[in-house]
Amino acid sequence: MNTNPFLKICLLTIIVVLFDSCSSSDEETDPCANGPEISIEKKVSTTTGNMVGSFTASTSNGQAPYQYSIDGGAFQSSDTFSGLSADTYAVTVKDANDCQDQTDVTITSVTEVSFASQVKPIIDTNCQISGCHGSNASTPSFATYTQVKANAENIKSKTSAKVMPPTGPLSDSNIKLISDWVDQGAPNN
């Protein structure tokens, strides 16, 4: 029988080290620790009395595939919801690990804006002029609905930032008309 005290201490140390490594490997990690985070990317308001509002959700983190739901309804794979009336909706995303995140989105009701009687006169008076979008070859023409529609998001962005037209910013009411018209899908009405 070996009575060497050094050998007994070494064996005891090995047993303690093995016990510690086994106990920490039994711990489970939380699959939702880096769960999905939802945000709303594009929101379209509805016109008064209609159900044409829509929004698109976006998800970061979590584990794909993602599923989406509004107001506790059935989950769907599409991240776009349309045909919505003016209201506030609770939007939920669920990932492959069944982890969830939620946010609210509000669809507002706006008065329908007419291209022919409201937007086109603003464009014709302030943009479709000599030296701007009327005769300047370096800028797109805004003479037709098709040309204005093709540039609608850019027109909204630049008028809202008050950097267009170059003759000076539009009135706040005209900026809102253009913005609302673009948000309504820039219809030819």
Side-chain angles (χ1 to χ4, degrees), residues 38-60:
I38 192 169
S39 60
I40 304 303
E41 293 297 312
K42 182 159 173 73
K43 178 178 71 167
V44 176
S45 296
T46 184
T47 54
T48 305
N50 292 314
M51 295 181 63
V52 295
S54 65
F55 67 86
T56 300
S58 177
T59 303
S60 59

mmCIF file of all heavy atoms in Angstrom, residues 38-60:
data_model
loop_
_atom_site.group_PDB
_atom_site.id
_atom_site.type_symbol
_atom_site.label_atom_id
_atom_site.label_comp_id
_atom_site.label_asym_id
_atom_site.label_seq_id
_atom_site.Cartn_x
_atom_site.Cartn_y
_atom_site.Cartn_z
ATOM 1 N N ILE A 38 -38.110 42.669 -34.178
ATOM 2 C CA ILE A 38 -38.958 43.109 -35.274
ATOM 3 C C ILE A 38 -38.926 44.622 -35.405
ATOM 4 O O ILE A 38 -38.809 45.335 -34.413
ATOM 5 C CB ILE A 38 -40.414 42.603 -35.080
ATOM 6 C CG1 ILE A 38 -41.234 42.803 -36.349
ATOM 7 C CG2 ILE A 38 -41.061 43.246 -33.888
ATOM 8 C CD1 ILE A 38 -42.586 42.102 -36.315
ATOM 9 N N SER A 39 -39.006 45.088 -36.642
ATOM 10 C CA SER A 39 -39.156 46.519 -36.915
ATOM 11 C C SER A 39 -40.061 46.670 -38.132
ATOM 12 O O SER A 39 -40.250 45.724 -38.892
ATOM 13 C CB SER A 39 -37.802 47.182 -37.159
ATOM 14 O OG SER A 39 -37.157 46.598 -38.274
ATOM 15 N N ILE A 40 -40.629 47.839 -38.298
ATOM 16 C CA ILE A 40 -41.531 48.102 -39.413
ATOM 17 C C ILE A 40 -40.754 48.895 -40.454
ATOM 18 O O ILE A 40 -40.212 49.965 -40.172
ATOM 19 C CB ILE A 40 -42.787 48.879 -38.956
ATOM 20 C CG1 ILE A 40 -43.503 48.107 -37.839
ATOM 21 C CG2 ILE A 40 -43.713 49.146 -40.141
ATOM 22 C CD1 ILE A 40 -43.912 46.691 -38.183
ATOM 23 N N GLU A 41 -40.680 48.336 -41.660
ATOM 24 C CA GLU A 41 -39.883 48.938 -42.720
ATOM 25 C C GLU A 41 -40.678 49.909 -43.577
ATOM 26 O O GLU A 41 -40.218 50.978 -43.877
ATOM 27 C CB GLU A 41 -39.291 47.851 -43.619
ATOM 28 C CG GLU A 41 -38.266 46.996 -42.925
ATOM 29 C CD GLU A 41 -37.053 47.779 -42.472
ATOM 30 O OE1 GLU A 41 -36.487 48.555 -43.266
ATOM 31 O OE2 GLU A 41 -36.661 47.628 -41.303
ATOM 32 N N LYS A 42 -41.841 49.534 -44.022
ATOM 33 C CA LYS A 42 -42.623 50.387 -44.919
ATOM 34 C C LYS A 42 -44.068 50.360 -44.475
ATOM 35 O O LYS A 42 -44.659 49.307 -44.331
ATOM 36 C CB LYS A 42 -42.502 49.897 -46.357
ATOM 37 C CG LYS A 42 -43.258 50.761 -47.339
ATOM 38 C CD LYS A 42 -42.734 50.583 -48.745
ATOM 39 C CE LYS A 42 -43.575 51.311 -49.747
ATOM 40 N NZ LYS A 42 -43.445 52.723 -49.761
ATOM 41 N N LYS A 43 -44.600 51.558 -44.248
ATOM 42 C CA LYS A 43 -45.972 51.672 -43.793
ATOM 43 C C LYS A 43 -46.719 52.605 -44.742
ATOM 44 O O LYS A 43 -46.217 53.657 -45.106
ATOM 45 C CB LYS A 43 -46.002 52.228 -42.376
ATOM 46 C CG LYS A 43 -47.387 52.427 -41.806
ATOM 47 C CD LYS A 43 -47.336 52.938 -40.394
ATOM 48 C CE LYS A 43 -46.866 54.359 -40.364
ATOM 49 N NZ LYS A 43 -47.061 55.048 -39.119
ATOM 50 N N VAL A 44 -47.898 52.194 -45.153
ATOM 51 C CA VAL A 44 -48.730 53.018 -46.025
ATOM 52 C C VAL A 44 -50.033 53.301 -45.293
ATOM 53 O O VAL A 44 -50.707 52.381 -44.837
ATOM 54 C CB VAL A 44 -49.004 52.309 -47.372
ATOM 55 C CG1 VAL A 44 -49.953 53.119 -48.229
ATOM 56 C CG2 VAL A 44 -47.693 52.050 -48.115
ATOM 57 N N SER A 45 -50.358 54.569 -45.192
ATOM 58 C CA SER A 45 -51.610 54.959 -44.544
ATOM 59 C C SER A 45 -52.781 54.662 -45.467
ATOM 60 O O SER A 45 -52.626 54.507 -46.668
ATOM 61 C CB SER A 45 -51.570 56.440 -44.190
ATOM 62 O OG SER A 45 -50.564 56.673 -43.242
ATOM 63 N N THR A 46 -53.936 54.610 -44.890
ATOM 64 C CA THR A 46 -55.142 54.351 -45.661
ATOM 65 C C THR A 46 -55.868 55.665 -45.927
ATOM 66 O O THR A 46 -55.712 56.625 -45.179
ATOM 67 C CB THR A 46 -56.073 53.364 -44.921
ATOM 68 O OG1 THR A 46 -57.182 53.065 -45.759
ATOM 69 C CG2 THR A 46 -56.573 53.916 -43.610
ATOM 70 N N THR A 47 -56.613 55.696 -46.997
ATOM 71 C CA THR A 47 -57.427 56.878 -47.257
ATOM 72 C C THR A 47 -58.715 56.754 -46.472
ATOM 73 O O THR A 47 -59.163 55.657 -46.157
ATOM 74 C CB THR A 47 -57.719 57.033 -48.758
ATOM 75 O OG1 THR A 47 -58.289 55.828 -49.250
ATOM 76 C CG2 THR A 47 -56.452 57.351 -49.529
ATOM 77 N N THR A 48 -59.308 57.869 -46.139
ATOM 78 C CA THR A 48 -60.496 57.915 -45.291
ATOM 79 C C THR A 48 -61.580 56.960 -45.789
ATOM 80 O O THR A 48 -61.960 56.989 -46.951
ATOM 81 C CB THR A 48 -61.044 59.348 -45.229
ATOM 82 O OG1 THR A 48 -59.994 60.196 -44.785
ATOM 83 C CG2 THR A 48 -62.215 59.455 -44.285
ATOM 84 N N GLY A 49 -62.039 56.087 -44.895
ATOM 85 C CA GLY A 49 -63.126 55.164 -45.198
ATOM 86 C C GLY A 49 -62.728 53.930 -45.988
ATOM 87 O O GLY A 49 -63.576 53.115 -46.310
ATOM 88 N N ASN A 50 -61.460 53.767 -46.306
ATOM 89 C CA ASN A 50 -61.016 52.605 -47.095
ATOM 90 C C ASN A 50 -60.151 51.676 -46.260
ATOM 91 O O ASN A 50 -59.696 52.026 -45.182
ATOM 92 C CB ASN A 50 -60.242 53.063 -48.330
ATOM 93 C CG ASN A 50 -61.124 53.767 -49.325
ATOM 94 O OD1 ASN A 50 -62.209 53.304 -49.639
ATOM 95 N ND2 ASN A 50 -60.657 54.899 -49.823
ATOM 96 N N MET A 51 -59.932 50.503 -46.784
ATOM 97 C CA MET A 51 -59.059 49.527 -46.142
ATOM 98 C C MET A 51 -57.901 49.231 -47.090
ATOM 99 O O MET A 51 -57.801 48.163 -47.657
ATOM 100 C CB MET A 51 -59.833 48.253 -45.800
ATOM 101 C CG MET A 51 -60.909 48.487 -44.750
ATOM 102 S SD MET A 51 -61.813 47.011 -44.297
ATOM 103 C CE MET A 51 -60.525 46.009 -43.578
ATOM 104 N N VAL A 52 -57.030 50.228 -47.278
ATOM 105 C CA VAL A 52 -55.908 50.066 -48.187
ATOM 106 C C VAL A 52 -54.562 50.274 -47.491
ATOM 107 O O VAL A 52 -53.539 50.338 -48.137
ATOM 108 C CB VAL A 52 -56.018 51.022 -49.403
ATOM 109 C CG1 VAL A 52 -57.218 50.675 -50.248
ATOM 110 C CG2 VAL A 52 -56.067 52.472 -48.954
ATOM 111 N N GLY A 53 -54.576 50.391 -46.172
ATOM 112 C CA GLY A 53 -53.329 50.542 -45.438
ATOM 113 C C GLY A 53 -52.523 49.257 -45.480
ATOM 114 O O GLY A 53 -53.065 48.164 -45.640
ATOM 115 N N SER A 54 -51.214 49.403 -45.360
ATOM 116 C CA SER A 54 -50.344 48.221 -45.373
ATOM 117 C C SER A 54 -49.050 48.536 -44.644
ATOM 118 O O SER A 54 -48.723 49.684 -44.387
ATOM 119 C CB SER A 54 -50.043 47.791 -46.807
ATOM 120 O OG SER A 54 -49.302 48.787 -47.477
ATOM 121 N N PHE A 55 -48.307 47.488 -44.313
ATOM 122 C CA PHE A 55 -46.965 47.640 -43.765
ATOM 123 C C PHE A 55 -46.174 46.372 -44.036
ATOM 124 O O PHE A 55 -46.726 45.308 -44.295
ATOM 125 C CB PHE A 55 -46.970 47.961 -42.262
ATOM 126 C CG PHE A 55 -47.482 46.853 -41.392
ATOM 127 C CD1 PHE A 55 -46.641 45.848 -40.948
ATOM 128 C CD2 PHE A 55 -48.807 46.815 -41.006
ATOM 129 C CE1 PHE A 55 -47.109 44.821 -40.142
ATOM 130 C CE2 PHE A 55 -49.289 45.803 -40.201
ATOM 131 C CZ PHE A 55 -48.436 44.795 -39.768
ATOM 132 N N THR A 56 -44.862 46.526 -43.986
ATOM 133 C CA THR A 56 -43.947 45.404 -44.140
ATOM 134 C C THR A 56 -43.048 45.368 -42.917
ATOM 135 O O THR A 56 -42.495 46.399 -42.529
ATOM 136 C CB THR A 56 -43.095 45.548 -45.421
ATOM 137 O OG1 THR A 56 -43.987 45.598 -46.540
ATOM 138 C CG2 THR A 56 -42.142 44.378 -45.582
ATOM 139 N N ALA A 57 -42.933 44.206 -42.311
ATOM 140 C CA ALA A 57 -42.086 44.026 -41.137
ATOM 141 C C ALA A 57 -40.713 43.529 -41.564
ATOM 142 O O ALA A 57 -40.555 42.946 -42.640
ATOM 143 C CB ALA A 57 -42.726 43.024 -40.175
ATOM 144 N N SER A 58 -39.744 43.753 -40.726
ATOM 145 C CA SER A 58 -38.381 43.268 -40.968
ATOM 146 C C SER A 58 -37.880 42.655 -39.667
ATOM 147 O O SER A 58 -38.199 43.146 -38.584
ATOM 148 C CB SER A 58 -37.486 44.425 -41.389
ATOM 149 O OG SER A 58 -36.160 43.993 -41.554
ATOM 150 N N THR A 59 -37.104 41.599 -39.774
ATOM 151 C CA THR A 59 -36.611 40.916 -38.584
ATOM 152 C C THR A 59 -35.100 40.761 -38.638
ATOM 153 O O THR A 59 -34.544 40.391 -39.673
ATOM 154 C CB THR A 59 -37.261 39.527 -38.446
ATOM 155 O OG1 THR A 59 -38.671 39.694 -38.416
ATOM 156 C CG2 THR A 59 -36.809 38.825 -37.183
ATOM 157 N N SER A 60 -34.462 41.046 -37.528
ATOM 158 C CA SER A 60 -33.036 40.778 -37.371
ATOM 159 C C SER A 60 -32.877 39.816 -36.201
ATOM 160 O O SER A 60 -33.778 39.677 -35.384
ATOM 161 C CB SER A 60 -32.258 42.071 -37.119
ATOM 162 O OG SER A 60 -32.743 42.713 -35.954
#
